[in-house]
Amino acid sequence: MSPSADCVAMVRAVEGFAATAYPDGAYHSIGYGHHGPEVAVGGRITQDEAARLLVVDLETVADKVSRLVRVQVSQNQFDALVSLAYNIGLWALEKSTLLRYLNAGEHRKAAGEFKRWNRVRGIPVSGLTARRAKEEALFRKGE
């Protein structure tokens, strides 16, 4: 599966645009959450360039999410998983209870796990809480 246009639009909205690279944990991000070895302090990007990078980044995440999910999911459920994985990292999704529930066919339990991913260093963050609520609602539309 590939992320839908609605998925791309949602991630753009929740990530927000940053024209200048900024520290984001152990690395720097730019645009709509893009990071990589080419992103350096002081780097700049246009919204058009950032939008193109986001599509490429989401396709990469989607490919890996497709390999992790072993059950049938709807487009909405897939889009919610791609948005989550783009934000928390594929390694975190791979180890998550959410994925374990999903692959066991327990979609409702999996949906309830989105809200657990709203913390940074153990502290709830309102922006992540709002994002997870959007992702969970999108995931539940696919049930």
Side-chain angles (χ1 to χ4, degrees), residues 15-129:
E15 285 288 337
F17 173 71
T20 304
Y22 59 93
D24 191 12
Y27 49 84
H28 287 81
S29 293
I30 198 166
Y32 297 104
H34 174 77
H35 61 273
E38 77 283 2
V39 180
V41 176
R44 298 199 44 82
I45 195 169
T46 68
Q47 279 188 297
D48 287 343
E49 291 168 327
R52 283 190 291 278
L53 275 176
L54 178 61
V55 170
V56 171
D57 290 347
L58 289 178
E59 285 289 345
T60 300
V61 170
D63 181 56
K64 292 176 182 171
V65 167
S66 292
R67 286 188 249 149
L68 292 174
V69 175
R70 297 185 192 104
V71 295
Q72 189 73 25
V73 293
S74 71
Q75 183 67 55
N76 286 334
Q77 290 169 326
F78 185 76
D79 287 347
L81 293 167
V82 168
S83 176
L84 177 69
Y86 185 70
N87 185 243
I88 69 171
L90 287 155
W91 61 270
L93 178 63
E94 184 175 14
K95 306 266 185 247
S96 72
T97 302
L98 187 157
L99 185 64
R100 190 171 69 242
Y101 282 148
L102 181 61
N103 283 335
E106 299 185 57
H107 287 67
R108 288 183 192 265
K109 282 185 176 180
E113 291 291 307
F114 278 89
K115 63 180 69 73
R116 295 185 67 207
W117 292 92
N118 72 333
R119 299 171 184 269
V120 174
R121 293 182 196 92
I123 300 167
V125 175
S126 62
L128 290 178
T129 300

